[in-house]
């Protein structure tokens, strides 16, 4: 009898809870309402697990103009700050797995401009967890004003970041900063000896079949992108972010933004993340790397939470009392243009939301779309049965 009970316990421990039952009608209602209110002209929503796609649909049109073709799951979107996580973080972790880079390496080891009293001891970990002390952003016009004769725009920006005073002492605060990831991408390229796009294409995009992903799009692919600016400054297929637009002049990748991709390309990426770094027989990341994305890197004295390159969710509906560490954590990243990627390791699910809410201008927010979709996933997931009502009171 004891043996039977032991076998039953082992079998029960190995059985996973069923995937959520996704109500496509409710998703349609959420997204269509946003489009009707001109929150965004188009959107793509994908929900899935490591093993399968539970829901995938494109909505609307790239612009509000009559005759604009329907958006598809192959429409290219400017990922904005999601580039930090999908692009720059991935490139850095590949180099770390190769033994060419370490989280505790000092940035000044790779960038001589950083051999300064206030920057000399800043590490790669500081950049990836946003504890370097760097301010959030710089004005590209002022960078250009200070550009030296013969200096490239990208070199001018990297030098200006090195010369910019810290906003707080390294490791004694937290500030989400684009400057951290602009610097990190330059480190990646110095270490790899090739531009970040080339590294990612060889080591992640091609192995995962992410055939449309990249920083520098061909003319044909630019025409397949959802525009991000309307009117006389119409922009389609070139980066929306001002510093990335200034930096990217044909070779280097600006690590804070600039990646373009599609919902269909992000599906294998997300399934790989939930499969502990493996997909289709290819090991892109080690399980330990995936854990780092969901492990807090902020010093205990600082009341913030952030993983390596990804934000760790701490509030409902993105986090629940059942999240007790990296193996059960939710982590995510969003982008200014209206992009969002979310992982729930407890439930074993991912959410992709792509919009071009900045077209024709940036007067709207897609926050209500992704928040409503996260609540919908939570309410439909058996892992969270019995605690949703208590979480609703904290909304």
């Amino acid at each position: 009898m004891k043996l039977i009970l032991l076998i039953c316990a082992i079998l029960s421990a190995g059985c996973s809870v069923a995937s959520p039952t996704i109500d496509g009608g409710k998703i349609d209602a959420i997204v269509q309402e946003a489009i009707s209110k001109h929150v965004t002209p188009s959107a793509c929503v994908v929900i899935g697990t490591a093993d399968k796609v539970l829901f995938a649909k494109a909505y609307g049109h790239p612009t509000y103009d009559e005759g604009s073709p329907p958006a598809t799951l192959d429409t290219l979107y400017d990922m904005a700050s999601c580039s930090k996580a999908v692009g720059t973080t991935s490139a850095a972790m590949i180099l770390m797995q190769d033994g060419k880079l370490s989280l505790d390496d000092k940035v000044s080891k790779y960038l001589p401009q950083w051999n300064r009293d206030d920057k000399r001891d800043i590490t790669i970990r500081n950049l990836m967890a946003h504890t370097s002390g760097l301010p959030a952003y710089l004005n590209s016009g002022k960078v250009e004003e200070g550009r030296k004769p013969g200096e490239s725009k990208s070199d001018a920006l990297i030098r200006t970041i090195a010369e910019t005073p810290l906003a707080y002492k390294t490791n004694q605060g937290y500030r989400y900063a684009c400057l951290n990831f602009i610097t990190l991408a330059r480190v990646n390229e110095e270490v790899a000896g090739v531009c970040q796009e080339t590294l990612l294409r060889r080591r992640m995009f091609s192995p995962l079949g992410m055939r449309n992903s990249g920083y520098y799009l061909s003319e044909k692919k630019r025409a397949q992108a959802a525009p991000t600016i309307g009117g006389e400054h119409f922009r389609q297929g070139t980066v929306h972010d001002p510093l990335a637009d200034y930096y990217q002049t044909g070779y280097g990748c600006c690590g804070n933004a600039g990646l373009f991709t599609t919902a269909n390309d992000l599906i294998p990426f997300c399934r790989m993340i939930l499969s502990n770094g493996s997909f289709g027989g290819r090991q892109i990341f080690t399980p330990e790397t995936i854990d780092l994305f969901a492990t807090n890197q902020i010093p205990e004295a600082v009341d913030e939470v952030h993983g390596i390159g990804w934000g760790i969710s701490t509030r409902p509906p993105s986090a629940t009392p059942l999240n007790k560490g990296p193996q059960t954590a939710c982590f995510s990243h969003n982008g200014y243009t209206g992009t969002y990627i979310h992982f729930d390791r407890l439930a074993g699910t991912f959410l992709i939301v792509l919009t071009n809410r900045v077209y024709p201008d940036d007067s709207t927010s897609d926050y209500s779309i992704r928040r409503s979709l996260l609540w919908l996933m939570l309410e439909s997931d058996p892992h969270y049965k019995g605690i949703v009502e208590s979480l609703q009171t904290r909304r």
Side-chain angles (χ1 to χ4, degrees):
M1 183 65 178
K2 289 182 179 180
L3 179 60
I4 293 173
L5 290 174
L6 177 60
I7 292 172
C8 290
I10 293 172
L11 290 174
S12 297
C15 294
S16 60
V17 179
S19 299
T21 301
I22 303 300
D23 189 330
K26 289 184 178 179
I27 295 176
D28 290 349
I30 291 168
V31 181
Q32 294 290 9
E33 180 183 13
I35 290 175
S36 69
K37 292 181 176 178
H38 279 207
V39 172
T40 179
S42 71
C44 291
V45 176
V46 182
I47 297 171
T49 68
D51 300 320
K52 59 186 176 181
V53 174
L54 303 175
F55 180 90
K57 191 171 180 178
Y59 298 86
H61 304 261
T63 75
Y64 296 111
D65 301 333
E66 186 176 347
S68 179
T72 74
L73 296 175
D74 286 321
T75 298
L76 281 150
Y77 286 85
D78 180 334
M79 294 301 289
S81 282
C82 282
S83 305
K84 293 181 176 73
V86 178
T88 308
T89 294
S90 294
M93 300 317 290
I94 287 168
L95 293 171
M96 288 182 200
Q97 290 175 170
D98 289 348
K100 297 178 179 179
L101 191 65
S102 167
L103 284 174
D104 294 319
D105 282 349
K106 294 177 181 179
V107 177
S108 56
K109 176 181 178 180
Y110 305 103
L111 303 182
Q113 308 95 314
W114 279 58
N115 190 21
R116 306 166 59 89
D117 288 345
D118 63 337
K119 310 259 182 0
R120 188 172 296 118
D121 293 328
I122 293 175
T123 65
I124 303 300
R125 188 190 306 273
N126 292 140
L127 298 181
M128 300 186 82
H130 296 288
T131 56
S132 68
L134 286 172
Y137 208 74
L138 289 173
N139 183 290
S140 60
K142 291 185 177 180
V143 176
E144 178 62 17
E145 286 177 10
R147 185 157 65 100
K148 298 178 180 180
E151 188 177 38
S152 69
K153 291 183 177 181
S154 58
D155 286 346
L157 178 52
I158 294 299
R159 176 183 54 76
T160 303
I161 293 172
E163 294 173 355
T164 298
L166 295 180
Y168 60 90
K169 192 171 181 180
T170 303
N171 273 327
Q172 294 188 13
Y174 167 89
R175 178 175 293 185
Y176 177 84
C178 286
L179 304 190
N180 288 320
F181 277 75
I182 294 171
T183 303
L184 179 60
R186 175 57 73 94
V187 171
N188 288 342
E189 294 184 339
E190 290 292 327
V191 172
V194 294
C195 80
Q196 186 165 281
E197 181 176 48
T198 299
L199 174 65
L200 289 169
R201 196 171 301 285
R202 292 172 180 172
R203 302 292 297 278
M204 189 173 81
F205 296 162
S206 292
L208 292 179
M210 299 172 68
R211 58 187 177 84
N212 287 314
S213 300
Y215 291 80
Y216 292 99
L217 302 183
S218 66
E219 184 177 348
K220 180 180 179 181
K221 286 187 177 180
R222 287 199 299 271
Q224 298 169 1
T228 54
I229 300 177
E232 62 178 314
H233 301 294
F234 182 77
R235 179 162 299 207
Q236 181 181 29
T238 56
V239 64
H240 179 274
D241 179 84
L243 280 181
D245 181 53
Y246 178 81
Y247 187 99
Q248 294 186 179
T249 55
Y251 174 77
C253 298
C254 195
N256 71 309
L259 177 64
F260 285 81
T261 190
T262 70
N264 273 336
D265 273 18
L266 286 172
I267 288 170
F269 173 82
C270 290
R271 290 180 62 186
M272 176 270 293
I273 296 292
L274 288 179
S275 298
N276 281 320
S278 177
F279 183 80
R282 305 293 293 270
Q283 192 78 39
I284 309 299
F285 298 130
T286 66
E288 292 76 17
T289 291
I290 306 299
D291 286 346
L292 283 171
F293 298 156
T295 301
N296 185 31
Q297 303 294 319
I298 308 297
E300 191 172 334
V302 181
D303 188 22
E304 295 286 351
V305 176
H306 202 282
I308 290 296
W310 291 83
I312 300 172
S313 303
T314 58
R315 296 189 302 273
S318 302
T320 79
L322 299 181
N323 297 337
K324 300 296 185 181
Q327 294 296 326
T328 55
C330 293
F331 59 97
S332 60
H333 215 293
N334 65 292
Y336 186 81
T337 53
T339 56
Y340 182 67
I341 303 172
H342 175 86
F343 296 98
D344 184 332
R345 295 189 86 187
L346 174 65
T349 55
F350 68 83
L351 169 66
I352 300 166
V353 181
L354 303 180
T355 83
N356 59 323
R357 66 101 193 161
V358 289
Y359 181 87
D361 56 50
D362 59 359
S363 61
T364 66
S365 170
D366 69 320
Y367 180 73
S368 62
I369 301 175
R370 47 192 165 95
R371 185 170 176 81
S372 296
L373 291 172
L374 283 170
W375 275 113
L376 180 62
M377 289 178 67
L378 191 71
E379 291 164 351
S380 63
D381 197 302
H383 291 84
Y384 300 117
K385 187 177 181 180
I387 68 168
V388 172
E389 187 175 336
S390 65
L391 288 171
Q392 291 279 10
T393 63
R394 296 163 58 191
R395 293 180 73 167

